[in-house]
Amino acid sequence: GLNYPITLNSSQPSTGSLVTKTQTGNRVVIVGGGIFGCTAALELLSRGWSVTIVNPGGPPHEDASSTDVSKVVRMDYGSDVFYHELGEMAIEGWRRWNRDWPRPLYHEDGFLILSHGQMQPGEYEYENHHVLGQRGYDIPRLNMNLASTDYPAWDFSGYSDGYFNPTGGWVESGAVVEQIAKLCKDSGVQFYSGHMDQLYSEGSRVSGVLTTDGNVIPGNIVVVAAGAWTPTLLPWLTDLLSPTGQPVLHFLPENPDLFRADRFPPWNSDIASSGWYGFPALSDGRVKVAHHGRGVSVHPDSRGKVDVNHEIRAREFLGKSIPALSQAPIVYRRICMYCDAFDGNFLIGHDPNREGLVVASGGSGHGFKFAPLLGEVIADAVEHHPNKWGARFSWREAGALMTEEARYTGQ
């Protein structure tokens, strides 16, 4: 084999699920140490693969989509029963990780869905509630006359309908990646700190990765799980995947207690037409308000800053809906990078034109919540095993436009 340097962490084992399977001669190189890459690494290691992750610096990388303080966990996916079921299974996985890990990183504080008008058939909010009912979840619609008592930070004068789903919440996303990366290192996954320059091939088969510092990392399979950087590293995927930037703001209210989870759970407000969603206050009082929309096409290495016009729009929204945040100082700004698949479904499968290459990307702004299931889906794709969920994410040609019903379709 080829010689190459590896940075291996030999810290003491964590109290999570360590992998003890004997490794075989199969070697996989995973490009990207985010939530797709690290969950895949753990699962493949458990199946006997020797695993190397190539990542610029130790996970979590400061610019990766996974690197953030919070991500929503929900099963509310409009009329799409597939994602309802997938979300339900993922929530069971988050509960299991809470039991196994040193401290719980999933906070089941529920999910508040608000609608300016009465929820109507065909609309995201109505279809959420309808499918939940079909699947056995008895969730009453909000009594708008009483809602301000339960959720005092909100001004409900502009809202006519909605519901609160207690099954769901949010995760400490950056801490989750740190925990899974630590499990990878403790279990024997090797980490190479560097950047992929290009795929390395022997004949017609991809057989490794050439790094920008001139090293070849060999593998029987290469999995590119580089998030928003995937279509840059694999430019022939630009019809399937594209990087987009979404603005994130953190506000520091005068009274953070008004925004604690018991009275201010994770929420979205007419998200399919407005894009607004947010989270309860962090321990330091910051309240994150984000936007799940069409986004702006940007290169992940030069994403820019949150536009001042977005801040103006955010304050206008808050002034009408969450007044106590509308004048609060903004203490943090970030452009969160999505890797959008053309149809909103993840892309997980073998490249039909490049033997030995597997792509695991296309999170499209809603992938993190499925972290407990991603590793198995990706590993089954690598090994050509059938997977109930994987069929939806398998290789396909560009066609229909994005389908996720929660995605902003307005201005």
Side-chain angles (χ1 to χ4, degrees), residues 4 6 8 19 21-30 40-54 184 187-191 217-223 382-383:
Y4 57 95
I6 286 292
L8 181 61
V19 174
K21 295 282 186 78
T22 302
Q23 294 183 5
T24 68
N26 291 325
R27 175 178 292 278
V28 61
V29 180
I30 299 175
L42 270 183
E43 180 65 23
L44 286 165
L45 194 73
S46 76
R47 299 183 185 194
W49 289 74
S50 176
V51 183
T52 300
I53 291 178
V54 177
C184 285
S187 299
V189 173
Q190 297 177 315
F191 279 78
I217 317 296
N220 305 92
I221 294 288
V222 172
V223 177
V382 168
E383 297 183 334

Side-chain angles (χ1 to χ4, degrees), residues 110-339:
F111 189 43
L112 181 65
I113 302 273
L114 297 174
S115 173
H116 286 296
Q118 289 293 313
M119 298 190 295
Q120 299 292 331
E123 295 177 351
Y124 167 73
E125 294 80 11
Y126 177 94
E127 296 300 332
N128 273 337
H129 193 261
H130 179 68
V131 171
L132 286 167
Q134 285 184 321
R135 301 195 59 246
Y137 291 88
D138 183 16
I139 299 175
R141 289 159 83 147
L142 290 178
N143 182 326
M144 304 313 294
N145 294 323
L146 301 177
S148 58
T149 301
D150 294 329
Y151 312 109
W154 284 91
D155 179 351
F156 288 104
S157 61
Y159 294 93
S160 303
D161 210 346
Y163 67 91
F164 174 72
N165 185 354
T167 305
W170 63 285
V171 292
E172 301 174 40
S173 48
V176 167
V177 177
E178 288 181 358
Q179 172 65 18
I180 297 175
K182 179 168 173 41
L183 287 172
C184 285
K185 294 171 183 176
D186 292 345
S187 299
V189 173
Q190 297 177 315
F191 279 78
Y192 182 93
S193 182
H195 296 262
M196 169 182 160
D197 180 52
Q198 62 187 53
L199 298 172
Y200 180 80
S201 299
E202 292 179 334
S204 61
R205 181 181 176 86
V206 173
S207 57
V209 169
L210 178 64
T211 66
T212 54
D213 53 7
N215 287 296
V216 173
I217 317 296
N220 305 92
I221 294 288
V222 172
V223 177
V224 176
W229 285 265
T230 302
T232 299
L233 296 173
L234 308 177
W236 56 89
L237 297 182
T238 53
D239 287 343
L240 302 177
L241 303 173
S242 59
T244 60
Q246 307 281 345
V248 174
L249 300 172
H250 290 191
F251 295 83
L252 187 61
E254 185 175 341
N255 179 15
D257 287 339
L258 193 61
F259 298 93
R260 301 303 178 192
D262 60 341
R263 53 179 60 187
F264 193 78
W267 55 270
N268 71 38
S269 166
D270 280 324
I271 193 168
S273 58
S274 77
W276 297 113
Y277 72 102
F279 298 83
L282 299 170
S283 58
D284 61 5
R286 286 180 294 150
V287 178
K288 174 181 168 181
V289 176
H291 203 259
H292 184 60
R294 186 181 297 116
V296 178
S297 295
V298 292
H299 191 286
D301 289 331
S302 55
R303 63 189 67 184
K305 300 178 180 179
V306 176
D307 186 273
V308 66
N309 291 321
H310 176 77
E311 296 185 14
I312 293 171
R313 289 192 296 271
R315 290 196 186 277
E316 288 176 350
F317 162 74
L318 294 171
K320 296 175 182 177
S321 299
I322 314 174
L325 277 186
S326 63
Q327 298 303 316
I330 297 173
V331 294
Y332 179 74
R333 299 164 175 84
R334 181 175 191 251
I335 295 293
C336 179
M337 292 304 304
Y338 286 11
C339 183

